[in-house]
Amino acid sequence: MKHKLSKQILSMLLALVMVIGMIPAMEITAMAAPGSNSMDPVICDTFAEFKAAMEDPDIIYVSLHAVDEVLPLLEEGRRVAAITVAGQKDLYLANDSVATFVANANGGVYDSLLQVGAGSSLSIDGNRGWLEFEAVGTAAHNAVIYNEGGDVSIYGGYLKGQYNTATYGRAIWQDSGTLTIQDGDFESTDGTFNKVGSKETCAVYLAGGEANIYGGKFHVEETKDPEAKPYGLYIEEEAEVEIRSGI
């Protein structure tokens, strides 16, 4: 009986040693998961891959390559962001690549391409990478990035809000949260006829929150209204903005 019990104890100890020995290997595997470090980002070259990566809270580093897609059809009456950023995201726009996402002209409305809410952060870099969103909504934010309480930082890249049919596009629209711009090119096009000085004719619209601008280029490429005055930046009184540089 004692001999049998000793064997059972020995077997349990051996099993415990094996489990403990597996823990470091499990940790290494987890650390090596794609998107967990800057040297191994999740690479995306389709909308489906991009959406999946940006909405996965366990993925941090994402590299976006050349894409040219019409977004999936939404159910009639829906108005949503194409992608809701989850957790911390460091997005790299691959050099010399153009990623263009076109809102579907049928069905519901894509309010923006990337929405950043409270508790989420988005950092974008890429010296020669382009990210474009072609909007169709007539009463939507129509922005590449819509910040609604999150933390957005731009270190480089080219963001363009392009109109599609009779609407307007924005590079960034911020209602709340924080925005930091170190560098980058921010562009808008406008296909509507607006009153003079309307906020619809601007590349970056700051309705609220905080913004610190240290560089960058801001401009409206095209407007159909000959009376409109296009603005690179349009700042409402509710926004707290510090501008140190940029044109």
Side-chain angles (χ1 to χ4, degrees), residues 38-72:
S38 59
M39 300 301 293
D40 185 24
V42 172
I43 297 174
C44 305
D45 53 19
T46 68
F47 172 72
E49 293 173 348
F50 187 40
K51 180 177 176 67
M54 297 299 285
E55 293 187 346
D56 186 339
D58 294 328
I59 292 174
I60 298 176
Y61 299 95
V62 179
S63 180
L64 181 61
H65 291 230
V67 186
D68 188 359
E69 284 192 38
V70 175
L71 300 181

Side-chain angles (χ1 to χ4, degrees):
M1 180 69 178
K2 289 183 179 180
H3 183 67
K4 186 176 182 181
L5 184 61
S6 298
K7 279 189 172 182
Q8 289 178 342
I9 294 173
L10 181 60
S11 297
M12 291 173 64
L13 288 173
L14 287 172
L16 181 61
V17 169
M18 291 176 65
V19 169
I20 293 174
M22 290 173 64
I23 290 175
M26 292 168 65
E27 289 180 349
I28 292 171
T29 301
M31 290 176 61
S36 62
N37 65 78
S38 59
M39 300 301 293
D40 185 24
V42 172
I43 297 174
C44 305
D45 53 19
T46 68
F47 172 72
E49 293 173 348
F50 187 40
K51 180 177 176 67
M54 297 299 285
E55 293 187 346
D56 186 339
D58 294 328
I59 292 174
I60 298 176
Y61 299 95
V62 179
S63 180
L64 181 61
H65 291 230
V67 186
D68 188 359
E69 284 192 38
V70 175
L71 300 181
L73 181 67
L74 286 175
E75 182 182 346
E76 193 71 43
R78 291 191 67 196
R79 175 177 159 177
V80 297
I83 296 170
T84 301
V85 175
Q88 175 189 343
K89 290 292 178 289
D90 285 14
L91 173 61
Y92 179 73
L93 305 178
N95 287 344
D96 299 318
S97 67
V98 178
T100 301
F101 299 97
V102 182
N104 200 309
N106 301 308
V109 174
Y110 282 102
D111 182 80
S112 55
L113 178 62
L114 295 165
Q115 179 173 321
V116 186
S120 296
S121 66
L122 172 63
S123 173
I124 295 181
D125 200 355
N127 292 331
R128 299 189 302 275
W130 292 45
L131 179 57
E132 298 184 8
F133 175 54
E134 294 189 15
V136 299
T138 56
H141 294 104
N142 292 345
V144 178
I145 299 172
Y146 171 51
N147 191 13
E148 190 181 27
D151 185 2
V152 177
S153 300
I154 313 293
Y155 296 95
Y158 189 106
L159 303 183
K160 182 177 181 179
Q162 173 77 32
Y163 77 83
N164 185 352
T165 68
T167 62
Y168 51 86
R170 296 290 157 269
I172 299 175
W173 183 310
Q174 175 170 285
D175 277 340
S176 58
T178 60
L179 171 65
T180 302
I181 296 177
Q182 298 284 354
D183 200 1
D185 200 309
F186 307 87
E187 185 176 310
S188 163
T189 63
D190 199 319
T192 59
F193 285 85
N194 304 300
K195 62 183 180 181
V196 175
S198 171
K199 65 178 178 292
E200 277 80 13
T201 311
C202 61
V204 175
Y205 175 55
L206 301 173
E210 301 179 7
N212 294 282
I213 299 173
Y214 301 98
K217 298 179 180 179
F218 309 85
H219 51 103
V220 175
E221 181 186 68
E222 176 187 352
T223 177
K224 286 189 175 182
D225 189 344
E227 300 297 322
K229 293 182 179 180
Y231 297 96
L233 288 167
Y234 194 103
I235 304 170
E236 299 284 7
E237 292 182 0
E238 293 80 2
E240 298 181 13
V241 181
E242 180 177 354
I243 301 176
R244 297 190 182 183
S245 186
I247 57 175

